Amino acid sequence: MDATDLREAAAVCAAVLGETRGQDWSGPAGDLRMSVAETVAHVGDTLLWYAADAAAGPSELSTMDLRVRPETPPAGLLATVQAHAAVLAAVVTVTPASERGWHPAGLADASGFAAMGCDEILVHTADAAAGLGVPFAPDPALAARVVHRLFPWAPGHPDPWAVLLWCNGRAPLGERPRREGWRWHCAPLDEWDGSDPAA
């Protein structure tokens, strides 16, 4: 995955949630304990953290505090997500494929950071949209790319968006119950050991 995927994910987030800027964002985001505003602010936080981690290399960088203010009006929160997605996309673009950045789930390459950024944007957009009562489903091809990159153990299914929600513990998938815990594989795919790390 790459910067193009990040820009696509950020654009669909802005398009869907932008229609709700006049609504109250203080209610819960789907099943989360965070409000819609806190959830969108969290996406902004995470994208900038990923950019810093990708640029910093394989050692954890814990020298700063990042916090997007959730009390910011919705338009400002969405602008922040767009800006931070652009920063991460720029870092991903200039990061050589051989370089790694620290993440609790493993040492991610540029593709891994792009995929994690897309996952954060898409899944939390779904959370926020659920809290606001609006439908959301991204391009199935984008969802499929995220599943393939971060969750290579995911079961085959005709709806990749449903699979991505299941992988992130958001919903059941057919007869498979909703996952209580989950992890992704952000290191290069050729380093995957063939197992589900959350199993």
Side-chain angles (χ1 to χ4, degrees):
M1 298 193 73
D2 57 24
T4 301
D5 297 304
L6 280 166
R7 287 190 286 267
E8 180 180 345
V12 73
C13 170
V16 170
L17 297 184
E19 297 295 323
T20 70
R21 287 174 294 184
Q23 293 182 225
D24 180 4
W25 282 28
S26 65
D31 295 338
L32 301 184
R33 295 180 181 176
M34 296 186 293
S35 70
V36 170
E38 289 169 334
T39 300
V40 176
H42 164 76
V43 175
D45 289 340
T46 303
L47 295 172
L48 201 55
W49 268 116
Y50 288 169
D53 287 337
S59 297
E60 181 179 5
L61 182 68
S62 54
T63 57
M64 58 185 173
D65 295 316
L66 288 176
R67 180 181 175 270
V68 175
R69 295 186 295 274
E71 63 272 18
T72 302
L77 292 174
L78 290 174
T80 300
V81 169
Q82 300 303 297
H84 291 185
V87 172
L88 178 56
V91 172
V92 163
T93 297
V94 300
T95 299
S98 60
E99 290 191 10
R100 305 293 192 87
W102 185 88
H103 185 275
L107 295 180
D109 60 0
S111 173
F113 278 111
M116 290 189 292
C118 287
D119 189 81
E120 291 282 349
I121 294 168
L122 296 177
V123 173
H124 284 311
T125 296
D127 294 329
L132 294 164
V134 297
F136 172 67
D139 180 355
L142 177 59
R145 291 193 297 274
V146 177
V147 169
H148 173 75
R149 180 60 187 81
L150 294 180
F151 305 100
W153 52 86
H157 190 276
D159 183 353
W161 175 230
V163 176
L164 187 60
L165 291 173
W166 177 79
C167 287
N168 281 272
R170 293 306 195 275
L173 182 67
E175 296 181 357
R176 293 178 173 86
R178 183 172 176 167
R179 292 173 68 100
E180 294 296 324
W182 59 273
R183 284 178 66 89
W184 53 35
H185 178 83
C186 56
L189 280 174
D190 61 10
E191 296 178 10
W192 176 49
D193 66 6
S195 69
D196 178 345

